[in-house]
Amino acid sequence: MLLFKLECMRLFSGKINKLVLILFVISGVFAIYQGAQGYKNIRIDQYKSKIVFQKEREHVTQRESLPEAGSLAYYASAPTKWQLSPWAALFVGESQSSMVATKIRATALQSQIFNRETVNPSQQRTGGLDLGFVLVYLLPLVIGIMTVTLISDEQHAGRWRLLNALPKSAFSQVCKQIALRFAVIWLLVLSLLVSAALLLSLPFDAAFWVVLLATSVYMLFWFSAAGLIMSFGKSSVVNSLAYLSSWVLFAMLIPGAVHLYLSSQFHSEAPLKMSLEQRMVLNNGWDQDQNKQAILDEFLQHEPHWQETAPLGDAFEWKWYYAQQHMSDLAVHDLWLSFVENHQARYQQLQNLSLLSPALFFQLQLNQLANTSSRDHAEYQQQIVDYHKEIRHFFYDYLFFDKSISKDDIDNFILFAPSDKTQRKSDTLTIWHFAMGTFVIFVIMMFAVTRLKQLSPT
């Protein structure tokens, strides 16, 4: 117990160690606060979209005479919702720079998804600090500063030979020092997670323990890297530079190289092409008055449920307008499928290549847990596609069968129902990747332990 107290005093007596731990805690607290504010703003945007739509619907139903169905379909912007996990307040992922409450009408779909700004530049924060950033990038630096010079400091102070002369070997003492530092940092991480869970009302469910387990394994990697560097018996300067170089390699260079590679291999201009081609199809449709019936007939081949509609007359009719809108979607359907397949292939390749960098892999897993990954955003877009189809079919009955719309019909307008993925289980491939990464970390740790045992006292 006395030796443990002495080690604790040595650990917290150094100004650098105390400063690093204080800055780490402050960064974590600030990241939790900023992430909570960002998540709050997201929820407010989603709530506002829902309330505005309800008010618009109430305004329409209070009118003495209702607008025709085509006009309602044009102006009815139904809100959608990217269903994020509450953990999105800590791991923002793609939610910071993507639309989370897209409004959808019965008009052409692709222009609504891509032909808009994803964020408001005037409200975009400079940079982004969340708890994920603190854990992925700052935590390894804290570990390195407090650990990587343990042996070299003992050698410089002339205590290394004395430690080797004690009944308990120097290796045993170094292991205790490393274990103490691991425990202190782990407790700080646990405190941050518990505080975040209490402040944000996050449940202490499986997700909480998965985050804690993943963080613990991530810490083991960097402690193993520090131990391996120390085992070569170099000076403090060399050890510090070696550890910093490994941090730059695994946290910056490899993830940057992976994203550059994926950008070159899966570069897609499909969104731009879809927006332009769809706009051209729509514009050309207005110049082809003599082909309006042909466009409607082609539309009915794809939508045979409304085959019994009356032929078009000379005057403007809404059913031709929405038929033309849908045909513009079909004109870019192959580009949309190519975009989806390209995105899926890119994400799968990213998952595989993330094994090259513990930092990248750890960050991806945190984003997946919070439903803020690029895969979750792609699933949200697919939900928008499905909901757009429901909206179209809702209005088609009134447009193609000349049915009058009533106030009850407006009240029964179908609303967007997001899929709840907060309890989504990890897929088999992710579990396999995690197990493989843990095994590699265990091998590195065992190799570092073996080298530390063989370290000469000279």
Side-chain angles (χ1 to χ4, degrees):
M1 182 59 68
L2 179 60
L3 289 177
F4 176 75
K5 291 181 179 180
L6 290 175
E7 287 298 336
C8 289
M9 292 176 60
R10 288 185 56 195
L11 174 62
F12 295 106
S13 62
K15 293 182 180 180
I16 296 298
N17 288 348
K18 288 189 290 187
L19 179 61
V20 166
L21 293 176
I22 291 173
L23 290 177
F24 177 71
V25 172
I26 293 176
S27 299
V29 172
F30 183 72
I32 293 172
Y33 171 77
Q34 188 170 2
Q37 290 299 113
Y39 182 68
K40 179 181 178 181
N41 292 334
I42 287 175
R43 296 298 300 272
I44 290 176
D45 288 343
Q46 294 176 337
Y47 180 75
K48 282 182 178 179
S49 298
K50 180 179 179 181
I51 295 300
V52 169
F53 182 74
Q54 290 177 351
K55 294 296 183 180
E56 291 174 347
R57 185 164 58 176
E58 292 174 0
H59 175 73
V60 171
T61 55
Q62 290 173 357
R63 296 177 57 176
E64 294 184 2
S65 59
L66 295 178
E68 53 186 333
S71 179
L72 282 176
Y74 184 84
Y75 289 104
S77 296
T80 64
K81 177 182 178 181
W82 183 357
Q83 187 71 10
L84 301 172
S85 165
W87 288 92
L90 305 180
F91 315 121
V92 299
E94 297 285 331
S95 64
Q96 182 183 11
S97 57
S98 301
M99 295 294 295
V100 295
T102 303
K103 294 183 178 181
I104 295 299
R105 299 184 297 167
T107 55
L109 174 63
Q110 304 306 330
S111 60
Q112 299 182 68
I113 294 180
F114 297 111
N115 192 21
R116 65 177 66 192
E117 293 181 355
T118 57
V119 294
N120 184 346
S122 63
Q123 298 181 358
Q124 179 71 355
R125 296 198 306 263
T126 302
L129 178 65
D130 62 349
L131 189 61
F133 179 87
V134 173
L135 296 179
V136 173
Y137 297 101
L138 300 187
L139 180 59
L141 294 178
V142 175
I143 294 172
I145 292 173
M146 297 182 62
T147 306
V148 79
T149 61
L150 276 177
I151 294 179
S152 56
D153 287 345
E154 298 288 353
Q155 292 173 338
H156 181 73
R159 294 189 296 263
W160 186 243
R161 283 180 175 272
L162 179 61
L163 289 174
N164 279 276
L166 294 175
K168 293 184 178 180
S169 65
F171 168 75
S172 176
Q173 298 299 323
V174 170
C175 287
K176 290 179 181 179
Q177 292 176 354
I178 293 176
L180 176 61
R181 283 155 176 76
F182 183 92
V184 169
I185 298 174
W186 187 85
L187 287 174
L188 287 179
V189 171
L190 177 63
S191 301
L192 289 175
L193 290 176
V194 170
S195 300
L198 294 176
L199 292 173
L200 304 176
S201 300
L202 300 176
F204 290 92
D205 55 4
F208 176 87
W209 300 108
V210 168
V211 172
L212 185 59
L213 174 62
T215 305
S216 302
V217 174
Y218 187 62
M219 288 175 57
L220 280 176
F221 169 79
W222 289 107
F223 271 100
S224 301
L228 183 61
I229 292 172
M230 286 191 296
S231 69
F232 289 93
K234 302 298 182 179
S235 65
S236 297
V237 174
V238 174
N239 288 348
S240 299
L241 288 176
Y243 186 89
L244 182 60
S245 299
S246 65
W247 177 81
V248 171
L249 176 66
F250 289 113
M252 300 180 68
L253 294 182
I254 292 180
V258 167
H259 285 294
L260 285 175
Y261 168 76
L262 293 177
S263 297
S264 63
Q265 293 296 315
F266 297 97
H267 178 67
S268 175
E269 297 180 351
L272 178 60
K273 290 182 179 179
M274 278 187 281
S275 299
L276 291 176
E277 185 171 341
Q278 187 175 64
R279 177 55 57 188
M280 292 298 297
V281 172
L282 289 174
N283 290 343
N284 292 338
W286 288 101
D287 300 331
Q288 299 176 4
D289 292 342
Q290 67 279 9
N291 293 330
K292 286 184 177 181
Q293 185 62 48
I295 293 174
L296 179 61
D297 292 340
E298 185 180 0
F299 164 82
L300 294 175
Q301 292 179 4
H302 295 278
E303 300 285 348
H305 180 73
W306 293 273
Q307 191 76 41
E308 301 302 323
T309 186
L312 292 175
D314 295 332
F316 170 82
E317 294 190 37
W318 281 110
K319 62 182 179 181
W320 166 82
Y321 177 80
Y322 287 100
Q324 174 70 6
Q325 294 281 330
H326 184 58
M327 292 309 298
S328 69
D329 274 337
L330 294 180
V332 297
H333 184 65
D334 291 340
L335 286 174
W336 166 254
L337 293 179
S338 175
F339 171 76
V340 172
E341 293 175 358
N342 185 75
H343 187 278
Q344 291 175 346
R346 187 185 190 281
Y347 183 81
Q348 189 60 56
Q349 190 71 358
L350 175 61
Q351 285 289 101
N352 295 331
L353 293 177
S354 67
L355 293 176
L356 300 174
S357 168
L360 179 58
F361 181 77
F362 183 45
Q363 187 175 40
L364 290 178
Q365 303 316 306
L366 293 178
N367 291 343
Q368 284 186 15
L369 182 139
N371 296 341
T372 58
S373 67
S374 58
R375 179 180 66 175
D376 293 292
H377 184 253
E379 291 177 357
Y380 168 57
Q381 287 185 330
Q382 183 57 48
Q383 293 177 47
I384 291 177
V385 172
D386 298 335
Y387 181 54
H388 178 260
K389 181 178 180 180
E390 294 179 357
I391 293 177
R392 289 191 298 106
H393 288 182
F394 175 85
F395 285 108
Y396 282 175
D397 279 342
Y398 305 99
L399 296 173
F400 292 94
F401 294 153
D402 294 327
K403 292 172 55 178
S404 59
I405 194 167
S406 66
K407 294 182 179 180
D408 290 336
D409 295 328
I410 296 177
D411 290 334
N412 294 329
F413 182 81
I414 187 168
L415 300 177
F416 181 79
S419 62
D420 188 0
K421 300 178 293 182
T422 56
Q423 301 295 329
R424 182 178 64 187
K425 297 181 179 179
S426 299
D427 52 48
T428 304
L429 185 60
T430 299
I431 296 175
W432 169 249
H433 284 170
F434 183 79
M436 185 185 303
T438 304
F439 175 76
V440 172
I441 293 173
F442 177 77
V443 171
I444 296 174
M445 183 172 62
M446 290 296 100
F447 182 64
V449 169
T450 303
R451 285 193 56 87
L452 287 173
K453 285 183 178 180
Q454 299 173 352
L455 187 62
S456 171
T458 57

